[in-house]
Amino acid sequence: MFFSRKLEAFMAVVEQGSLCKAARILNRTAPPVAKSIKDFEAVLGKTLFKRKKSGMTLTKEGQELYNDLKNLYLQEKEITKRYVSNEFRNIVNIYYDWGKDHHLIKLYQTAGINKIPINVLKFDYDKVNEISDYDGNILILSSEKIVSERFILLKKSQKEAIGICCRKQLYEHAEKNLLKLLNQFPWLCDPVLYKSQFIRDIESKATLGTNRINIRWMENSGFCDGLIQNGDYIGLTDKLPETCQLTPDIIFLPLDELSMTNSCYFYKSKAHGSILNRFIDAIEKIN
């Protein structure tokens, strides 16, 4: 590193939120990182962190220092990768919870045009703080709000489709009534969607009388599609799966008439690398 280990430790603790996580990222142990922070504070004559059992948060002076240094520090890291290690790798990691193929395709096309390598990964809401963000090259597409000091909201899109994928016979059996359809047949959905508040809201609307809603999650999308095509199951999804498009008996029924609003929240790294700017421009153009 061109910058001192004290500054490196400071930036890592800010971005990771704790000494232990910062130490893992830096390939060091926690005590040396803690000493680097204390030495840094001694040199500056300022207290940079509030130390709590739950982690470390910036003081006012620490936040001001971080704001002044973050862009310069990210630029320095890119230069270091290029000229010191000779391994310049600027990979963007895009995380999503479920569905969102149409958005992911646009971002993947943006990456291709700009020759930027990307990874597309799934995440769970309760594990968002486990996402490593040391390089500042993270985008998150989430159906629910994320509370994190490391990621900031770029945009919220409310025109997101969600509906029921099922055989026509089931819809006709339910007298072409969406609430009856939801009430009478087992639901299949992605594991992350299964645990979302959105599903809970649909469940509360669909509960009729004493009939209990039957919801099951499916890790294997191909198996899920097979059950929809050949059984008395309905799938909760944001589009008609490609495997079902070839079967004329399978339909997609939007839940618009139930006044259910599905959103997509776009988040980015709080201190993002310059490589993310191309993706941010693409996201801004999404309706």
Side-chain angles (χ1 to χ4, degrees), residues 8 29 51 54 63 73 112 117 194 197 224 227 246 258 261 274 278:
E8 183 183 25
T29 58
R51 293 160 172 83
S54 57
Q63 186 65 59
Y73 183 69
Y194 173 88
Q197 183 59 45
C224 177
L227 289 176
L246 301 176
L258 299 183
T261 301
S274 59
R278 303 294 177 86

Side-chain angles (χ1 to χ4, degrees), residues 240-251:
L240 185 65
E242 290 185 8
T243 55
C244 295
Q245 292 175 9
L246 301 176
T247 307
D249 182 49
I250 304 299
I251 56 176

Side-chain angles (χ1 to χ4, degrees), residues 49-213:
F49 289 99
K50 298 175 184 176
R51 293 160 172 83
K52 302 177 181 178
K53 291 183 179 179
S54 57
M56 298 174 68
T57 58
L58 288 170
T59 61
K60 180 180 179 181
E61 291 82 2
Q63 186 65 59
E64 290 174 352
L65 177 64
Y66 177 71
N67 291 339
D68 288 341
L69 291 175
K70 59 185 179 182
N71 290 333
L72 180 61
Y73 183 69
L74 287 169
Q75 291 173 16
E76 183 275 338
K77 285 173 64 180
E78 292 184 4
I79 294 171
T80 299
K81 287 179 181 179
R82 186 189 295 271
Y83 294 106
V84 177
S85 66
N86 199 30
E87 292 183 4
F88 183 67
R89 296 181 65 211
N90 224 339
I91 298 175
V92 172
N93 290 323
I94 301 176
Y95 289 83
Y96 73 103
D97 49 7
W98 61 274
K100 301 176 179 54
D101 289 357
H102 53 305
H103 292 324
L104 294 173
I105 289 171
K106 288 181 180 178
L107 295 177
Y108 206 92
Q109 290 171 339
T110 299
I113 292 171
N114 293 281
K115 298 181 179 179
I116 301 171
I118 66 170
N119 295 319
V120 179
L121 309 154
K122 290 199 69 173
F123 81 98
D124 210 335
Y125 301 123
D126 56 2
K127 296 181 180 178
V128 67
N129 288 322
E130 296 179 13
I131 296 176
S132 177
D133 187 33
Y134 191 54
D135 287 326
N137 289 344
I138 302 294
L139 289 172
I140 299 176
L141 280 60
S142 174
S143 297
E144 297 191 7
K145 290 182 179 180
I146 292 175
V147 180
S148 173
E149 294 182 354
R150 297 186 297 124
F151 306 108
I152 62 174
L153 181 64
L154 266 176
K155 184 175 183 177
K156 176 184 177 182
S157 174
Q158 291 183 304
K159 299 179 180 180
E160 300 294 319
I162 187 167
I164 301 169
C165 178
C166 70
R167 293 190 295 116
K168 289 180 182 178
Q169 291 93 326
L170 301 188
Y171 187 43
E172 292 168 356
H173 184 273
E175 301 173 351
K176 296 187 177 181
N177 183 299
L178 290 183
L179 287 178
K180 289 184 178 180
L181 181 65
L182 288 164
N183 186 261
Q184 292 176 6
F185 300 101
W187 308 2
L188 305 178
C189 62
D190 180 275
V192 179
L193 176 60
Y194 173 88
K195 293 184 283 186
S196 69
Q197 183 59 45
F198 190 74
I199 284 291
R200 303 283 81 77
D201 293 341
I202 300 177
E203 183 181 9
S204 65
K205 284 179 175 286
T207 301
L208 303 174
T210 59
N211 193 23
R212 187 175 180 180
I213 302 297

Side-chain angles (χ1 to χ4, degrees), residues 8 10 13 39 71 111 178 205 228 239 268:
E8 183 183 25
F10 169 72
V13 171
D39 290 346
N71 290 333
L178 290 183
K205 284 179 175 286
I228 292 170
K239 69 170 188 177
K268 71 173 184 66

Side-chain angles (χ1 to χ4, degrees), residues 248-284:
D249 182 49
I250 304 299
I251 56 176
F252 179 77
L253 305 166
L255 293 178
D256 297 347
E257 66 181 71
L258 299 183
S259 301
M260 299 299 300
T261 301
N262 183 35
S263 302
C264 182
Y265 297 87
F266 296 86
Y267 290 88
K268 71 173 184 66
S269 303
K270 188 173 184 180
H272 71 268
S274 59
I275 200 73
L276 277 193
N277 290 333
R278 303 294 177 86
F279 293 94
I280 292 173
D281 292 341
I283 290 171
E284 289 299 331

